[in-house]
Amino acid sequence: MADQEEEDLRMALRMSMQNSPPEPKRSKPRDAGAPVASPEDLRRMKRELMAAAAEKRLLETRVDSPSPSQSPSPSKATVDRSPGKSTDFVRKEVDFGLKEGSLGKELSSEEANELFSMVFGSGVSNDILAQWSNQGIRFSPDPETSMGLVQHEGGPCGVLATIQAFVLKHLLFFPNEIGKVTSNVPQNLGSGRLSKSQYVASDNFSSLTEDAKARALVKGMGEILFMCGDNKRAVIATLNVVGLDIEGFAKNEIIAKALEGLTIESASDLQKILRIDTYTSQTTALQKLHTALPVFQSRMGALLFLISALLSRGLDSIQADRDDPNLPLVTAPFGHASQEIVNLLLCGQAVPNVFDGRMDFGGGMFLKGISMSVEVGFLTLLESLNFCKVGQHLKCPKWPIWVVGSESHYTVLFALDTSVQDENELEERESQIRRAFDAQDQSGGGGFISVEGFHQVLMEVGIRLPSEKLDHLCSTGFIVWSEFWQVILDLDKSLGGLKDSSGLMGKKVFDLCHFNGIAKSDINGSHATSGGETLVQRPRLTKLRVSVPPRWTPEEFMADVVVTSGPGGKESSGKDTEVTKPEPSQQAPLVDCIRTRWSRAVCNWVGDPPSIV
């Protein structure tokens, strides 16, 4: 009897993991003289039996609990084997699981069509579909970049980079919550920015355990999905594969087998493999994500996560967020993630713009931007080219982590020190003056105030302008912010301005790290061979030293510095307070992105320049 049951289980496994119809069950008894199986065969057999047993339990559950539209089966042990039911139908049902029950809800044809059209449009190429159905969410095996997600395909980088940003948030600033015990972890860390307090995370990424990275990934994905669901719900889209409740390597084998030869070419293909679960409990959702992690690590992972985020927000809400809901979210002709996708994952809304709030044009016409503060931010090369303006919400996130956009790719910039966004003396003074000016601005944001309001500003912030500068600013009857600001930059600190000849008031030096998940040839990581050096293909992590000079012009700064030969070859000024001459800046497109956040930043690094493409 035991042999018979084992043979049944093996047959069920073959049915679920083969693309051809199952072989007929053989009644011939086993050869008693057969050789004893090896330990590896026994382990493999055990995994197969576990998978088959899980499948058998699910099949029995379906027969035991028919849908309301079906009449109860005569016997729960009976499986429909009528002649009219083809072996193809049986194989489809076993390969991709069950229509109802523990595998989640199936999308309707209408929902699947709407989802597919929203993401890919009507004329999507097979190449773009292949890019999005062949990118898993997996960490780099390279020790130096082990905290990073590896990208193989060009399209889904917007999804991967945003997940990466949230993973870094948890790895760097919440290590105690992912099982990494650190003595100097700050207590009671909330989701808000650590203003006026400093915490420096470790950069020893090679010491991260697989368990810690998995926990950070699950927490990051869960945080994004609940944010998309207004912190009320998270929808998790997984594959309709039997046996996902099994632990160990068998789960990966089942998923790999189920995906063999699978292509996504239409909405019906999506409908066939997708199963949807909705959660209102964060704890339960995180448990589901942990269980389904091998699914998101599979080649369908990036697409499944995007679908999860879209459904968490709701397809109707997604379309309402957008300025033009007729365009696909995945852009042609290269299949890149649109800004709407990136914004959805950053702030929970699929708005297309990166400025703060909403831009009204009158007559009911307006453009939608970012309406709230965010956990991790966004910078883009396009701002340095004057194609857009990133607002303060994205430039100054709660944590010093930014997704970086170029014309065709998304990467991640981050700091280990939480204080890099704290305002120094000059920045605080600038904010104080700007707030006082804006309080008197009655132009609806036009950036100018009356003479009466201007005198009120000067009194509030303690600025003493020379009479000739005051008369010049007031000569037209109103004061424009840009002209006033230039005067403040040129006004000495002793008179309430921002010019400080010591160079200390605006001095700022800090480190940033940049991660590009696409595997590239790395000269620094090359291996020496008998025939020369072999370049290593791996993701790129670059550390940058950033120096932000004071807020006057470079010419004025250099003119104020009397350079002499100091000890050890260092250059110093002849003033009472030493001012170090800034290092020559190395140039790369990433530097232009950094300067949109810290204007006139000087950046230096060792080795290959950081790449944002």
Side-chain angles (χ1 to χ4, degrees):
M1 185 67 182
D3 288 345
Q4 181 68 33
E5 182 176 359
E6 181 178 317
E7 187 67 22
D8 286 341
L9 294 179
R10 286 190 171 187
M11 178 181 176
L13 179 68
R14 287 195 297 271
M15 290 171 64
S16 69
M17 298 180 66
Q18 292 182 1
N19 293 325
S20 58
E23 297 178 4
K25 185 169 60 176
R26 294 177 174 83
S27 58
K28 180 180 178 180
R30 293 186 178 181
D31 184 1
V36 179
S38 67
E40 178 61 32
D41 290 336
L42 291 174
R43 285 193 294 271
R44 178 180 56 80
M45 185 184 304
K46 182 178 180 181
R47 292 197 301 268
E48 292 177 352
L49 291 176
M50 290 171 63
E55 179 181 336
K56 187 173 183 180
R57 290 196 303 273
L58 290 171
L59 287 171
E60 289 179 349
T61 300
R62 186 193 182 198
V63 175
D64 194 28
S65 304
S67 63
S69 61
Q70 296 174 333
S71 59
S73 300
S75 169
K76 72 175 183 179
T78 302
V79 179
D80 184 7
R81 300 186 186 277
S82 59
K85 197 166 190 178
S86 68
T87 56
D88 285 343
F89 182 89
V90 173
R91 187 175 75 244
K92 181 189 298 184
E93 191 171 80
V94 175
D95 275 350
F96 293 103
L98 311 173
K99 299 291 182 182
E100 304 288 341
S102 61
L103 291 179
K105 172 182 174 291
E106 177 182 311
L107 288 178
S108 67
S109 298
E110 293 76 14
E111 290 172 324
N113 286 328
E114 183 181 3
L115 177 64
F116 188 87
S117 176
M118 180 185 297
V119 176
F120 295 113
S122 58
V124 61
S125 68
N126 288 335
D127 288 342
I128 291 178
L129 292 172
Q131 288 175 209
W132 280 88
S133 56
N134 285 283
Q135 178 61 64
I137 305 174
R138 289 179 172 271
F139 285 100
S140 167
D142 174 56
E144 294 182 15
T145 58
S146 63
M147 84 302 163
L149 301 175
V150 181
Q151 181 182 345
H152 302 292
E153 299 293 338
C157 56
V159 173
L160 288 182
T162 312
I163 297 174
Q164 178 72 73
F166 279 88
V167 168
L168 285 169
K169 169 191 164 180
H170 290 279
L171 284 176
L172 297 176
F173 304 120
F174 296 90
N176 56 332
E177 294 186 12
I178 58 172
K180 180 180 178 182
V181 180
T182 306
S183 59
N184 64 341
V185 172
Q187 299 299 314
N188 299 320
L189 279 176
S191 61
R193 177 178 160 192
L194 297 177
S195 179
K196 299 301 180 185
S197 62
Q198 183 177 16
Y199 170 61
V200 181
S202 170
D203 62 352
N204 185 16
F205 301 127
S206 60
S207 67
L208 292 171
T209 65
E210 293 300 319
D211 181 66
K213 293 189 294 183
R215 288 175 182 270
L217 178 57
V218 166
K219 283 182 174 290
M221 292 195 301
E223 183 177 359
I224 293 173
L225 295 182
F226 268 99
M227 178 176 58
C228 294
D230 290 328
N231 293 316
K232 298 176 182 177
R233 68 168 190 169
V235 177
I236 300 177
T238 57
L239 297 175
N240 189 19
V241 178
V242 171
L244 294 185
D245 58 343
I246 304 171
E247 296 297 331
F249 292 105
K251 182 184 293 187
N252 294 325
E253 293 174 359
I254 290 172
I255 295 170
K257 282 289 184 181
L259 292 177
E260 277 186 4
L262 174 70
T263 58
I264 303 297
E265 298 179 353
S266 65
S268 61
D269 291 336
L270 271 183
Q271 183 188 19
K272 179 176 66 174
I273 67 167
L274 281 183
R275 287 300 176 268
I276 309 302
D277 289 293
T278 302
Y279 299 89
T280 56
S281 164
Q282 294 192 20
T283 301
T284 308
L286 292 180
Q287 290 173 348
K288 174 64 176 181
L289 286 171
H290 179 75
T291 302
L293 202 54
V295 177
F296 290 102
Q297 291 171 333
S298 77
R299 65 178 178 87
M300 292 288 294
L303 178 58
L304 287 173
F305 186 78
L306 172 59
I307 291 172
S308 299
L310 294 172
L311 295 177
S312 295
R313 176 65 174 159
L315 300 187
D316 290 341
S317 296
I318 293 290
Q319 295 296 68
D321 290 338
R322 308 174 66 195
D323 288 340
D324 187 351
N326 296 316
L327 296 175
L329 291 170
V330 171
T331 62
F334 302 111
H336 298 136
S338 65
Q339 190 65 48
E340 293 156 309
I341 289 178
V342 175
N343 285 349
L344 172 67
L345 303 183
L346 286 175
C347 73
Q349 298 178 357
V351 294
N353 303 295
V354 293
F355 50 73
D356 288 344
R358 195 169 82 165
M359 186 180 296
D360 287 294
F361 295 98
M365 296 181 61
F366 55 86
L367 298 177
K368 308 182 192 85
I370 308 299
S371 60
M372 68 203 77
S373 60
V374 295
E375 296 291 307
V376 298
F378 180 77
L379 303 174
T380 176
L381 182 66
L382 298 181
E383 180 174 5
S384 70
L385 301 174
N386 295 319
F387 286 113
C388 66
K389 178 68 175 178
V390 179
Q392 292 300 107
H393 287 324
L394 290 176
K395 277 187 181 173
C396 303
K398 294 178 181 178
W399 301 98
I401 305 169
W402 297 265
V403 174
V404 176
S406 68
E407 302 98 323
S408 60
H409 188 44
Y410 294 98
T411 55
V412 181
L413 182 74
F414 61 98
L416 303 175
D417 189 339
T418 57
S419 68
V420 299
Q421 295 202 97
D422 289 344
E423 292 183 334
N424 59 24
E425 183 183 0
L426 182 145
E427 291 166 331
E428 288 180 348
R429 178 64 172 161
E430 175 186 346
S431 298
Q432 179 191 22
I433 297 172
R434 183 75 212 212
R435 283 193 300 269
F437 188 94
D438 289 344
Q440 299 295 327
D441 188 351
Q442 303 298 317
S443 65
F448 59 89
I449 61 178
S450 65
V451 173
E452 294 78 9
F454 182 54
H455 284 289
Q456 180 67 26
V457 170
L458 297 180
M459 183 177 64
E460 286 183 10
V461 298
I463 294 176
R464 301 184 303 279
L465 287 177
S467 58
E468 65 275 10
K469 292 184 180 293
L470 182 61
D471 293 341
H472 173 72
L473 284 172
C474 297
S475 60
T476 60
F478 59 87
I479 291 83
V480 179
W481 166 258
S482 58
E483 295 179 0
F484 176 46
W485 180 242
Q486 289 302 317
V487 171
I488 296 301
L489 291 177
D490 194 45
L491 186 66
D492 193 83
K493 178 182 176 182
S494 62
L495 298 175
L498 296 176
K499 186 172 182 179
D500 174 28
S501 58
S502 71
L504 299 178
M505 183 178 181
K507 183 178 181 180
K508 196 173 215 180
V509 180
F510 53 90
D511 292 327
L512 294 175
C513 297
H514 178 257
F515 177 75
N516 188 340
I518 286 186
K520 293 179 176 289
S521 298
D522 190 348
I523 297 175
N524 299 320
S526 60
H527 297 313
T529 62
S530 57
E533 288 190 340
T534 302
L535 296 181
V536 175
Q537 294 285 327
R538 63 178 183 179
R540 187 80 58 78
L541 178 65
T542 306
K543 184 175 182 180
L544 303 94
R545 171 55 59 94
V546 180
S547 303
V548 183
R551 290 282 186 104
W552 52 75
T553 65
E555 292 76 14
E556 287 177 313
F557 176 66
M558 296 305 296
D560 282 345
V561 177
V562 180
V563 178
T564 60
S565 180
K570 291 184 179 180
E571 296 171 333
S572 61
S573 71
K575 301 179 181 180
D576 294 337
T577 305
E578 179 179 312
V579 180
T580 303
K581 182 179 179 180
E583 291 288 332
S585 178
Q586 293 175 269
Q587 187 54 41
L590 177 62
V591 176
D592 295 325
C593 297
I594 293 173
R595 285 174 177 166
T596 65
R597 173 61 180 85
W598 293 278
S599 59
R600 296 180 47 251
V602 176
C603 301
N604 300 95
W605 58 85
V606 176
D608 297 331
S611 172
I612 61 174
V613 296

